[in-house]
Amino acid sequence: MRDGLTRKLAIGERDAGFTRFLAEHRASLVVLEGGVAGVEHEIERPRTSIGRGPGVDLAFQDSAMSKEHACLEWADGRLRLRDLGSMNGVRVNGAEVQVTDLKHGDRFQLGEHVFQLVLEQRRREPRAYVLPDS
């Protein structure tokens, strides 16, 4: 269905864009509140599901979280957070959302857990060339 907001990407197209993004950035979720506060989870795939589990990529022991609560996905050159039909909803920076693009520093709540997205520019090492002695 084309609603003007959603564009279906071929898996290869989505993965290639995400691979380029990861070459330049390090993306992670830091748990600010909840049972495992202080833990950091690096985002390494174009789609990461979050919930109580089983069958999700990031599982948390949280009775207020749905089994499949939300997913973080790469779409249109951005990281996007999508509610997967959870009972308690998704809040981003205090506002309830169904789907929204995230930027560095955004905080979101799933159940009793609060997360923060951290995006860091990767340092590029200068190219080094070995020249033969002539």
Side-chain angles (χ1 to χ4, degrees), residues 128-134:
Y129 297 94
V130 176
L131 301 174
D133 292 332
S134 37

Side-chain angles (χ1 to χ4, degrees), residues 110-134:
L110 309 176
E112 299 296 325
H113 284 75
V114 175
F115 303 86
Q116 184 170 28
L117 177 67
V118 177
L119 297 175
E120 299 171 319
Q121 193 81 24
R122 291 192 191 269
R123 280 191 53 211
R124 286 191 172 196
E125 296 297 323
R127 290 184 181 175
Y129 297 94
V130 176
L131 301 174
D133 292 332
S134 37

Side-chain angles (χ1 to χ4, degrees), residues 47-51 64-73 80-92 95-102 108-111:
R47 185 177 190 281
T48 301
S49 57
I50 307 167
M65 201 180 283
S66 296
K67 288 181 182 179
E68 290 185 27
H69 200 103
C71 71
L72 188 63
E73 58 191 9
R80 182 172 292 160
L81 183 66
R82 179 180 306 278
D83 187 341
L84 296 176
S86 66
M87 294 299 292
N88 292 326
V90 173
R91 300 183 80 71
V92 176
E96 192 157 336
V97 299
Q98 290 296 312
V99 63
T100 190
D101 292 336
L102 296 177
F108 60 93
Q109 182 172 358
L110 309 176

Side-chain angles (χ1 to χ4, degrees), residues 31-85:
V31 181
L32 300 177
E33 296 176 26
V36 290
V39 173
E40 181 178 26
H41 299 277
E42 191 162 353
I43 304 302
E44 299 174 326
R45 299 183 338 186
R47 185 177 190 281
T48 301
S49 57
I50 307 167
R52 200 178 50 201
V56 294
D57 300 312
L58 295 177
F60 297 90
Q61 292 183 353
D62 184 341
S63 61
M65 201 180 283
S66 296
K67 288 181 182 179
E68 290 185 27
H69 200 103
C71 71
L72 188 63
E73 58 191 9
W74 177 255
D76 296 326
R78 295 179 287 273
L79 286 172
R80 182 172 292 160
L81 183 66
R82 179 180 306 278
D83 187 341
L84 296 176

